[in-house]
Amino acid sequence: MGKISVRMKIRNFVDEVRAKEGIIKEEEIRELTIENALVDTGATMLSLPIDLIEKLGLEEIGTREVRTANGTVTRRVFTGAWIEIQGREGGFQAVELPIDVSPLIGQVVLEELDLHPDLQNQRLTGRPDAPDHMVVECY
């Protein structure tokens, strides 16, 4: 077994809407590419270091109690992160992490983007019955 690190692009979704409305220029949309985002099957949400959140200009929407390896802490939550992993995209809230910590891709992101960890081969895959596109489950 091993860890899975993936490339993830993140854009500020509010900037994207503002650009479509002509309020800002397309080149003013704040975005980053993370080469080593860590897939964390023990995490629930998208978690980003605070310096990346600040560079992206994400909007703080409150706080949440977060269980970590070092105990329970209160962390700020931000909205407006539009992410792309392996050509699959979606909008997510992000929990802040300390600076110099790898971004974490949790179960909510994996589920919504329909990505499945293959720990043995250290990669993300699509579901076996639809490996090349997202499928949403609505039961």
Side-chain angles (χ1 to χ4, degrees), residues 41-94:
T41 57
T44 304
M45 297 175 65
L46 173 67
S47 299
L48 299 172
I50 190 61
D51 59 326
L52 299 184
I53 289 171
E54 290 170 354
K55 285 179 187 174
L56 289 163
L58 301 181
E59 182 181 338
E60 183 177 342
I61 57 169
T63 60
R64 193 165 284 169
E65 209 170 275
V66 177
R67 272 191 233 129
T68 72
N70 299 322
T72 302
V73 296
T74 300
R75 295 254 169 89
R76 294 182 295 167
V77 178
F78 296 80
T79 193
W82 188 265
I83 69 170
E84 178 192 337
I85 300 171
Q86 297 179 351
R88 299 171 185 219
E89 298 182 65
F92 299 94
Q93 294 179 352

Side-chain angles (χ1 to χ4, degrees), residues 82-128:
W82 188 265
I83 69 170
E84 178 192 337
I85 300 171
Q86 297 179 351
R88 299 171 185 219
E89 298 182 65
F92 299 94
Q93 294 179 352
V95 174
E96 73 174 321
L97 291 174
I99 294 174
D100 296 329
V101 175
S102 291
L104 302 176
I105 300 166
Q107 289 291 342
V108 168
V109 176
L110 296 175
E111 188 72 27
E112 186 162 330
L113 297 183
D114 199 23
L115 290 167
H116 303 269
D118 176 353
L119 295 175
Q120 188 171 15
N121 296 304
Q122 298 180 348
R123 64 190 179 115
L124 286 177
T125 65
R127 64 178 58 227

